[in-house]
Amino acid sequence: KLSPALEKAWELKEEFRDLLQIPDIKESIEALNHWYEKVSQAKLNLFYKAKRTVKNWEENIINYFRTRITNGFAEGLNNKIKLIKRIGYGVPKVENLKRRVFLSLLSI
């Protein structure tokens, strides 16, 4: 009630999140196009930027609808390696960094 713009933004975010869960590819694409329309009607500048970004990556997003495959595992792995580098305070030898990474990944 206090912020209609915030309410619209939250609804658009939730709608986008929900359309990623639609199992049928045709329905997903229709929902995505409907989301584009709602963003245009909402007149929220940040969502115009989000819409442009989604349109730029639309082919990849549609591929996700087809395969349901993401690069989440690779992103998580990269995050873990960066964390190991930070904890090691700049390990001086690359070989030692490799050992630390391999040791930490044994549990995966």
Side-chain angles (χ1 to χ4, degrees):
K1 292 179 181 178
L2 295 176
S3 178
L6 181 61
E7 182 180 10
K8 281 183 189 177
W10 187 82
E11 287 172 359
L12 287 170
K13 184 267 301 180
E14 287 296 307
E15 187 173 330
F16 186 78
R17 190 179 62 93
D18 291 345
L19 76 85
L20 293 174
Q21 305 303 316
I22 299 172
D24 182 65
I25 186 169
K26 288 181 182 178
E27 284 181 43
S28 298
I29 293 170
E30 287 173 14
L32 184 60
N33 289 325
H34 180 70
W35 185 81
Y36 290 150
E37 291 173 21
K38 286 186 83 169
V39 167
S40 297
Q41 294 168 359
K43 296 182 177 139
L44 297 171
N45 288 338
L46 290 175
F47 273 89
Y48 290 143
K49 291 179 183 179
K51 177 183 167 185
R52 187 172 54 241
T53 300
V54 170
K55 278 193 173 276
N56 287 341
W57 290 93
E58 188 174 57
E59 185 178 334
N60 295 357
I61 292 169
I62 291 172
N63 282 339
Y64 167 75
F65 294 149
R66 285 189 187 104
T67 64
R68 299 296 172 174
I69 296 172
T70 69
N71 67 339
F73 180 78
E75 291 293 333
L77 198 58
N78 287 340
N79 246 353
K80 189 163 188 133
I81 292 169
K82 287 178 185 178
L83 177 65
I84 292 166
K85 281 174 50 180
R86 274 196 308 275
I87 291 171
Y89 297 106
V91 180
K93 293 185 180 180
V94 175
E95 204 54 44
N96 289 342
L97 177 61
K98 285 182 188 177
R99 287 186 186 118
R100 283 179 183 230
V101 169
F102 290 136
L103 283 172
S104 70
L105 297 179
L106 286 176
S107 62
I108 292 181

